[in-house]
């Protein structure tokens, strides 16, 4: 029996592929929300921040969080990788800046902040990566060195940075500042002051 024109039509049910795509999209959005919430929580409370609080901030249940990140180190690694993606993405933008030396300086300040954030989490994980390159599941230290090399080489080609400096040396200097000032609350300006000294040594005068 056919429905009269006045009867409401039932919406078509989604096909299996459509449901699958929607499920994957929902899972991707949940993962992104968890990483963003964890990034904020770790910045506020350090790497021991409550995972239940992170799930609450992300708007998901604890079970959803654990399906994506079964361990705390897995979540820490995801947050670190997200931060590195942001850091290296900024470097790609700076490669087209008018002043190569100012671009390098801006990125090194961002790198220092990256290494000091989360109560030293970034610095400690960078040291772990130095000692055991596969500890995090991806070579974050090499990626940062390659990024630093691109900006440094551009400044060297322009004649504004000393030619004998290497990217590994520059990265190590900034990591050293981050580690040595991780708990220096008495003088919050010290990290930037030390980086200014490094930048002055980098530039050709």
């Amino acid at each position: 029996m056919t429905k009269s024109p006045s009867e409401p039509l039932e919406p078509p049910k989604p096909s299996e592929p459509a449901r699958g795509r929607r499920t994957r999209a929902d899972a991707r959005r949940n993962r992104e929300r968890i990483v963003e919430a964890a990034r904020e929580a770790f910045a506020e409370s350090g790497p021991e921040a409550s995972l239940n609080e992170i799930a609450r901030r992300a708007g998901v249940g604890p079970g959803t969080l654990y399906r994506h990140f079964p361990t705390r180190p897995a979540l820490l690694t995801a947050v670190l990788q997200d931060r590195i993606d942001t850091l290296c993405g900024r470097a790609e933008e700076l490669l087209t800046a008018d002043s190569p030396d100012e671009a390098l300086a801006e990125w090194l300040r961002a790198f220092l902040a990256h290494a000091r954030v989360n109560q030293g989490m970034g610095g400690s994980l960078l040291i772990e990566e130095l000692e055991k390159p596969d500890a995090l599941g991806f070579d974050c230290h090499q990626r940062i060195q390659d990024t630093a090399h691109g900006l440094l080489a551009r400044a060297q080609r322009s004649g504004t940075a000393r030619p004998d400096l290497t990217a590994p040396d520059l990265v190590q200097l900034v990591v050293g500042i981050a580690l040595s000032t991780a708990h220096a609350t008495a003088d919050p300006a010290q990290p930037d002051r030390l980086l200014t000294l490094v930048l002055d040594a980098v530039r050709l005068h």
Side-chain angles (χ1 to χ4, degrees), residues 143-175:
R143 188 175 176 192
I144 287 174
Q145 279 194 2
D146 292 343
T147 300
H149 174 75
L151 290 166
L152 175 61
R154 185 167 177 256
Q156 288 171 328
R157 288 194 299 270
S158 73
T160 59
R162 55 189 301 166
D164 59 336
L165 183 64
T166 67
D169 288 344
L170 191 55
V171 167
Q172 193 65 46
L173 284 168
V174 178
V175 170

Side-chain angles (χ1 to χ4, degrees), residues 13-60:
K13 293 182 179 180
S15 64
E16 286 299 327
R19 281 197 293 268
R21 287 194 297 271
R22 187 171 60 198
T23 300
R24 288 192 295 273
D26 289 344
R28 184 172 61 252
R29 282 192 294 269
N30 284 340
R31 187 184 190 281
E32 290 169 356
R33 286 198 295 266
I34 292 168
V35 171
E36 180 58 30
R39 184 171 180 162
E40 294 173 359
F42 291 147
E44 294 171 8
S45 306
E48 298 306 317
S50 165
L51 297 184
N52 286 337
E53 172 62 15
I54 291 171
R56 186 194 67 77
R57 290 189 186 195
V60 302

Side-chain angles (χ1 to χ4, degrees), residues 41-88:
F42 291 147
E44 294 171 8
S45 306
E48 298 306 317
S50 165
L51 297 184
N52 286 337
E53 172 62 15
I54 291 171
R56 186 194 67 77
R57 290 189 186 195
V60 302
T64 299
L65 185 150
Y66 284 106
R67 276 196 297 274
H68 286 282
F69 305 104
T71 65
R72 182 180 296 272
L75 183 54
L76 285 167
T77 298
V79 170
L80 178 60
Q81 187 163 20
D82 178 67
R83 288 171 50 220
I84 289 174
D85 288 343
T86 300
L87 182 69
C88 294

Side-chain angles (χ1 to χ4, degrees), residues 176-199:
I177 293 173
L179 291 176
S180 64
T181 62
H183 305 290
T185 56
D187 186 1
Q190 186 182 42
D192 188 65
R193 194 165 60 246
L194 292 174
L195 182 60
T196 298
L197 291 173
V198 169
L199 291 173

